[in-house]
Amino acid sequence: MSWDNESVIKLIDAYKRKELLWDPKQKNYFNKLLKKDAWDELEVELQRPLEQIKKKMDYLLAALRREKQKITKTKTTGQGSDEVYRSSWFAYPHMLFLLDRNKPRDRINTVSIALTY
């Protein structure tokens, strides 16, 4: 069974709803049993074999990394905004939620707190 654009977007939307699978800030992100349950739910929802779903998500995540790298490479000093690469990949706007998943959380600066006492 092949993946047309509509079914890929459906997969991305279903994956987005399962934050446990992609968001390391989630409390149970490292819980393998809950992750397995989430993948199983995707399998039922999308009516495709689990291995096919995981393989497609791996491909999509790799493609997103390539698109992100292209954008980063064109954002150099002296470049005009019209010279920055803009992705034309159909899935890119649907996967934007994944771009900042690895940004560190805001932390309390303990040095400034210690200085106030």
Side-chain angles (χ1 to χ4, degrees):
M1 183 182 240
S2 67
W3 292 88
D4 61 350
N5 290 357
E6 185 179 324
S7 59
V8 169
I9 292 170
K10 185 177 177 183
L11 167 61
I12 294 168
D13 290 340
Y15 184 74
K16 182 179 182 178
R17 288 191 304 272
K18 304 287 183 193
E19 292 181 19
L20 175 69
L21 296 175
W22 59 267
D23 188 359
K25 295 174 191 133
Q26 288 293 314
K27 177 179 145 186
N28 293 312
Y29 178 74
F30 295 101
N31 186 324
K32 291 180 182 181
L33 295 175
L34 290 177
K35 273 192 170 183
K36 173 74 171 106
D37 290 344
W39 281 114
D40 291 342
E41 290 169 13
L42 282 179
E43 182 180 28
V44 170
E45 180 180 342
L46 299 171
Q47 298 176 347
R48 290 181 183 255
L50 182 58
E51 290 308 311
Q52 192 180 66
I53 293 170
K54 284 185 174 184
K55 186 175 181 180
K56 189 61 175 181
M57 277 311 305
D58 285 344
Y59 165 77
L60 292 170
L61 292 169
L64 179 65
R65 286 189 298 273
R66 282 191 299 274
E67 292 295 305
K68 184 178 176 182
Q69 186 176 19
K70 288 178 188 177
I71 293 168
T72 303
K73 281 184 178 180
T74 61
K75 286 185 177 180
T76 58
T77 305
Q79 295 288 332
S81 63
D82 59 331
E83 296 172 312
V84 175
Y85 175 78
R86 284 184 176 44
S87 178
S88 58
W89 180 42
F90 79 96
Y92 184 76
H94 300 279
M95 297 189 73
L96 289 175
F97 69 97
L98 293 169
L99 289 181
D100 65 345
R101 70 180 177 169
N102 293 325
K103 284 188 179 176
R105 292 181 233 155
D106 291 334
R107 301 287 184 200
I108 297 173
N109 186 348
T110 55
V111 174
S112 65
I113 291 174
L115 294 176
T116 59
Y117 288 107

